CSV table of all heavy atoms in Angstrom, one decimal:
chain,number,residue,atom,x,y,z
A,698,PRO,N,44.0,266.7,137.3
A,698,PRO,CA,45.1,267.2,136.3
A,698,PRO,C,46.4,267.4,137.1
A,698,PRO,O,47.5,267.5,136.4
A,698,PRO,CB,44.6,268.4,135.6
A,698,PRO,CG,43.2,268.4,135.8
A,698,PRO,CD,42.9,267.7,137.1
A,699,HIS,N,46.4,267.7,138.3
A,699,HIS,CA,47.4,268.1,139.1
A,699,HIS,C,48.1,267.0,140.0
A,699,HIS,O,49.0,267.2,140.8
A,699,HIS,CB,47.2,269.4,139.9
A,699,HIS,CG,46.6,270.4,139.2
A,699,HIS,ND1,47.3,271.0,138.1
A,699,HIS,CD2,45.4,271.0,139.2
A,699,HIS,CE1,46.5,272.0,137.5
A,699,HIS,NE2,45.3,272.0,138.1
A,700,LEU,N,47.7,265.8,139.8
A,700,LEU,CA,48.2,264.7,140.7
A,700,LEU,C,49.5,264.1,140.1
A,700,LEU,O,49.7,264.2,138.8
A,700,LEU,CB,47.1,263.5,140.9
A,700,LEU,CG,45.8,263.8,141.6
A,700,LEU,CD1,44.9,262.8,141.5
A,700,LEU,CD2,46.2,264.1,143.1
A,701,ASP,N,50.3,263.7,140.9
A,701,ASP,CA,51.5,262.9,140.5
A,701,ASP,C,51.2,261.5,140.4
A,701,ASP,O,51.2,260.8,141.5
A,701,ASP,CB,52.7,263.2,141.4
A,701,ASP,CG,53.9,262.6,141.0
A,701,ASP,OD1,53.8,261.8,140.0
A,701,ASP,OD2,55.0,262.8,141.6
A,702,TRP,N,50.8,260.9,139.3
A,702,TRP,CA,50.2,259.6,139.2
A,702,TRP,C,51.4,258.5,139.3
A,702,TRP,O,51.1,257.4,139.6
A,702,TRP,CB,49.6,259.4,137.8
A,702,TRP,CG,48.4,260.2,137.6
A,702,TRP,CD1,48.2,261.3,137.0
A,702,TRP,CD2,47.2,259.9,138.2
A,702,TRP,NE1,47.0,261.7,137.2
A,702,TRP,CE2,46.3,260.9,137.9
A,702,TRP,CE3,46.7,258.8,139.0
A,702,TRP,CZ2,44.9,260.9,138.2
A,702,TRP,CZ3,45.3,258.8,139.4
A,702,TRP,CH2,44.4,259.8,139.1
A,703,SER,N,52.6,259.0,139.4
A,703,SER,CA,53.7,258.0,139.8
A,703,SER,C,53.8,257.9,141.2
A,703,SER,O,54.5,257.0,141.7
A,703,SER,CB,55.0,258.6,139.2
A,703,SER,OG,55.4,259.8,139.8
A,704,ARG,N,53.2,258.7,142.0
A,704,ARG,CA,53.2,258.7,143.5
A,704,ARG,C,51.8,258.7,144.0
A,704,ARG,O,51.4,259.7,144.7
A,704,ARG,CB,54.1,259.7,144.1
A,704,ARG,CG,55.5,259.7,143.5
A,704,ARG,CD,56.3,260.9,143.9
A,704,ARG,NE,56.4,261.1,145.4
A,704,ARG,CZ,57.1,261.9,146.1
A,704,ARG,NH1,57.4,263.1,145.4
A,704,ARG,NH2,57.2,261.9,147.4
A,705,PRO,N,50.9,257.7,143.8
A,705,PRO,CA,49.5,257.8,144.1
A,705,PRO,C,49.2,258.1,145.6
A,705,PRO,O,48.1,258.5,146.0
A,705,PRO,CB,48.9,256.6,143.5
A,705,PRO,CG,50.0,255.7,143.5
A,705,PRO,CD,51.2,256.5,143.1
A,706,ASP,N,50.1,257.6,146.5
A,706,ASP,CA,49.9,257.8,147.9
A,706,ASP,C,50.2,259.1,148.5
A,706,ASP,O,50.0,259.3,149.6
A,706,ASP,CB,50.7,256.6,148.6
A,706,ASP,CG,50.2,255.2,148.3
A,706,ASP,OD1,49.1,255.0,148.0
A,706,ASP,OD2,51.1,254.3,148.4
A,707,GLN,N,50.9,259.9,147.6
A,707,GLN,CA,51.2,261.3,148.1
A,707,GLN,C,50.0,262.1,148.1
A,707,GLN,O,49.2,262.2,147.3
A,707,GLN,CB,52.3,261.8,147.2
A,707,GLN,CG,52.9,263.3,147.6
A,707,GLN,CD,53.7,263.8,146.6
A,707,GLN,OE1,53.5,263.9,145.4
A,707,GLN,NE2,54.8,264.4,147.1
A,708,VAL,N,49.9,262.9,149.2
A,708,VAL,CA,48.8,263.9,149.3
A,708,VAL,C,49.4,265.3,149.0
A,708,VAL,O,50.1,265.8,149.7
A,708,VAL,CB,48.2,263.9,150.7
A,708,VAL,CG1,47.1,265.0,150.8
A,708,VAL,CG2,47.6,262.6,151.1
A,709,PRO,N,49.1,265.9,147.9
A,709,PRO,CA,49.6,267.2,147.5
A,709,PRO,C,49.1,268.3,148.5
A,709,PRO,O,48.0,268.1,149.2
A,709,PRO,CB,48.8,267.5,146.1
A,709,PRO,CG,48.4,266.2,145.7
A,709,PRO,CD,48.0,265.3,146.9
A,710,GLY,N,50.0,269.3,148.7
A,710,GLY,CA,49.6,270.3,149.6
A,710,GLY,C,48.4,271.1,149.4
A,710,GLY,O,47.5,271.4,150.3
A,711,TRP,N,48.1,271.3,148.0
A,711,TRP,CA,46.8,272.0,147.6
A,711,TRP,C,45.6,271.2,148.1
A,711,TRP,O,44.6,271.7,148.5
A,711,TRP,CB,46.8,272.2,146.2
A,711,TRP,CG,47.1,271.2,145.3
A,711,TRP,CD1,48.2,270.9,144.6
A,711,TRP,CD2,46.1,270.1,144.7
A,711,TRP,NE1,48.2,269.7,143.8
A,711,TRP,CE2,46.9,269.3,144.0
A,711,TRP,CE3,44.9,269.7,145.1
A,711,TRP,CZ2,46.3,268.1,143.4
A,711,TRP,CZ3,44.2,268.6,144.6
A,711,TRP,CH2,45.1,267.8,143.7
A,712,SER,N,45.7,269.8,148.1
A,712,SER,CA,44.6,268.9,148.5
A,712,SER,C,44.4,269.0,150.0
A,712,SER,O,43.3,269.2,150.5
A,712,SER,CB,44.8,267.5,148.1
A,712,SER,OG,43.8,266.7,148.4
A,713,SER,N,45.5,268.9,150.9
A,713,SER,CA,45.3,268.9,152.3
A,713,SER,C,44.9,270.3,152.8
A,713,SER,O,44.2,270.3,153.8
A,713,SER,CB,46.6,268.4,153.0
A,713,SER,OG,47.7,269.1,152.6
A,714,ASP,N,45.5,271.3,152.2
A,714,ASP,CA,45.2,272.7,152.6
A,714,ASP,C,43.8,272.9,152.4
A,714,ASP,O,43.0,273.5,153.3
A,714,ASP,CB,46.1,273.6,151.8
A,714,ASP,CG,47.5,273.6,152.3
A,714,ASP,OD1,47.8,273.0,153.2
A,714,ASP,OD2,48.4,274.3,151.5
A,715,PHE,N,43.2,272.6,151.2
A,715,PHE,CA,41.8,272.9,150.9
A,715,PHE,C,41.0,272.1,151.9
A,715,PHE,O,40.0,272.7,152.5
A,715,PHE,CB,41.5,272.6,149.5
A,715,PHE,CG,40.0,272.9,149.1
A,715,PHE,CD1,39.7,274.0,148.4
A,715,PHE,CD2,39.0,272.1,149.4
A,715,PHE,CE1,38.5,274.5,148.1
A,715,PHE,CE2,37.7,272.4,149.1
A,715,PHE,CZ,37.5,273.5,148.4
A,716,ASP,N,41.2,270.9,152.1
A,716,ASP,CA,40.4,270.0,152.9
A,716,ASP,C,40.4,270.5,154.4
A,716,ASP,O,39.3,270.6,154.9
A,716,ASP,CB,41.0,268.5,152.9
A,716,ASP,CG,40.2,267.6,153.8
A,716,ASP,OD1,39.0,267.6,153.8
A,716,ASP,OD2,41.0,266.8,154.5
A,717,LEU,N,41.5,270.8,154.9
A,717,LEU,CA,41.5,271.3,156.4
A,717,LEU,C,40.8,272.7,156.4
A,717,LEU,O,40.1,273.0,157.4
A,717,LEU,CB,43.0,271.5,156.8
A,717,LEU,CG,43.7,270.3,156.9
A,717,LEU,CD1,45.2,270.5,157.2
A,717,LEU,CD2,43.1,269.3,158.0
A,718,TRP,N,40.9,273.5,155.5
A,718,TRP,CA,40.2,274.8,155.3
A,718,TRP,C,38.7,274.6,155.3
A,718,TRP,O,37.9,275.2,156.2
A,718,TRP,CB,40.6,275.6,154.2
A,718,TRP,CG,39.7,276.9,154.0
A,718,TRP,CD1,39.9,278.1,154.5
A,718,TRP,CD2,38.6,277.0,153.1
A,718,TRP,NE1,39.0,279.0,154.2
A,718,TRP,CE2,38.2,278.3,153.3
A,718,TRP,CE3,37.8,276.1,152.3
A,718,TRP,CZ2,37.0,278.9,152.7
A,718,TRP,CZ3,36.7,276.5,151.7
A,718,TRP,CH2,36.3,278.0,151.9
A,719,ALA,N,38.2,273.7,154.5
A,719,ALA,CA,36.8,273.3,154.4
A,719,ALA,C,36.3,272.7,155.7
A,719,ALA,O,35.2,273.1,156.1
A,719,ALA,CB,36.6,272.3,153.2
A,720,ALA,N,37.1,271.8,156.3
A,720,ALA,CA,36.7,271.2,157.6
A,720,ALA,C,36.4,272.3,158.7
A,720,ALA,O,35.6,272.3,159.4
A,720,ALA,CB,37.8,270.2,158.0
A,721,ASP,N,37.4,273.3,158.7
A,721,ASP,CA,37.4,274.3,159.7
A,721,ASP,C,36.1,275.2,159.5
A,721,ASP,O,35.4,275.6,160.4
A,721,ASP,CB,38.6,275.1,159.7
A,721,ASP,CG,38.6,276.3,160.7
A,721,ASP,OD1,38.6,276.1,161.8
A,721,ASP,OD2,38.5,277.4,160.2
A,722,ALA,N,36.0,275.6,158.2
A,722,ALA,CA,34.8,276.4,157.9
A,722,ALA,C,33.5,275.7,158.2
A,722,ALA,O,32.5,276.4,158.7
A,722,ALA,CB,34.8,276.9,156.4
A,723,LEU,N,33.4,274.4,157.9
A,723,LEU,CA,32.1,273.7,158.2
A,723,LEU,C,31.9,273.6,159.8
A,723,LEU,O,30.8,273.8,160.3
A,723,LEU,CB,32.3,272.2,157.7
A,723,LEU,CG,32.1,272.1,156.1
A,723,LEU,CD1,32.5,270.7,155.6
A,723,LEU,CD2,30.7,272.3,155.7
A,724,ALA,N,33.0,273.4,160.6
A,724,ALA,CA,32.9,273.2,162.0
A,724,ALA,C,32.4,274.5,162.6
A,724,ALA,O,31.8,274.5,163.6
A,724,ALA,CB,34.3,272.8,162.6
A,725,ARG,N,32.8,275.7,162.0
A,725,ARG,CA,32.4,277.0,162.5
A,725,ARG,C,31.1,277.4,161.9
A,725,ARG,O,30.5,278.5,162.2
A,725,ARG,CB,33.5,278.0,162.1
A,725,ARG,CG,34.8,277.9,162.9
A,725,ARG,CD,35.8,279.1,162.6
A,725,ARG,NE,36.3,278.9,161.3
A,725,ARG,CZ,36.0,279.7,160.2
A,725,ARG,NH1,35.1,280.5,160.5
A,725,ARG,NH2,36.5,279.6,159.1
A,726,GLY,N,30.5,276.6,161.0
A,726,GLY,CA,29.3,277.0,160.3
A,726,GLY,C,29.4,278.3,159.5
A,726,GLY,O,28.4,279.1,159.3
A,727,ASP,N,30.6,278.6,158.9
A,727,ASP,CA,30.9,279.7,158.1
A,727,ASP,C,30.4,279.5,156.8
A,727,ASP,O,31.3,279.3,155.8
A,727,ASP,CB,32.3,280.1,158.2
A,727,ASP,CG,32.6,281.4,157.8
A,727,ASP,OD1,31.8,282.1,157.0
A,727,ASP,OD2,33.8,281.9,157.9
A,728,VAL,N,29.2,279.6,156.4
A,728,VAL,CA,28.7,279.4,155.0
A,728,VAL,C,29.1,280.5,154.1
A,728,VAL,O,29.4,280.2,152.9
A,728,VAL,CB,27.1,279.3,155.2
A,728,VAL,CG1,26.6,279.3,153.8
A,728,VAL,CG2,26.6,278.2,156.0
A,729,ASP,N,29.3,281.7,154.6
A,729,ASP,CA,29.8,282.8,153.7
A,729,ASP,C,31.2,282.4,153.2
A,729,ASP,O,31.5,282.7,152.0
A,729,ASP,CB,29.8,284.1,154.5
A,729,ASP,CG,28.4,284.6,154.7
A,729,ASP,OD1,27.4,284.2,154.1
A,729,ASP,OD2,28.3,285.5,155.7
A,730,SER,N,32.0,282.1,154.0
A,730,SER,CA,33.4,281.6,153.6
A,730,SER,C,33.3,280.5,152.6
A,730,SER,O,34.1,280.4,151.6
A,730,SER,CB,34.4,281.4,154.8
A,730,SER,OG,34.5,282.5,155.5
């Protein structure tokens, strides 16, 4: 619901921020976070 469909190649900040956070937590094995 929060994508800008007029700019499908744009990566919203909320998407990249969440992805990088999840990647870091996975790399650290931080299941609690």
Side-chain angles (χ1 to χ4, degrees):
H699 307 298
L700 291 174
D701 182 353
W702 293 100
S703 68
R704 303 171 65 187
D706 294 333
Q707 181 186 44
V708 178
W711 49 259
S712 185
S713 58
D714 289 348
F715 184 98
D716 178 46
L717 292 173
W718 172 86
D721 176 68
L723 286 165
R725 291 185 290 104
D727 191 348
V728 178
D729 289 340
S730 290

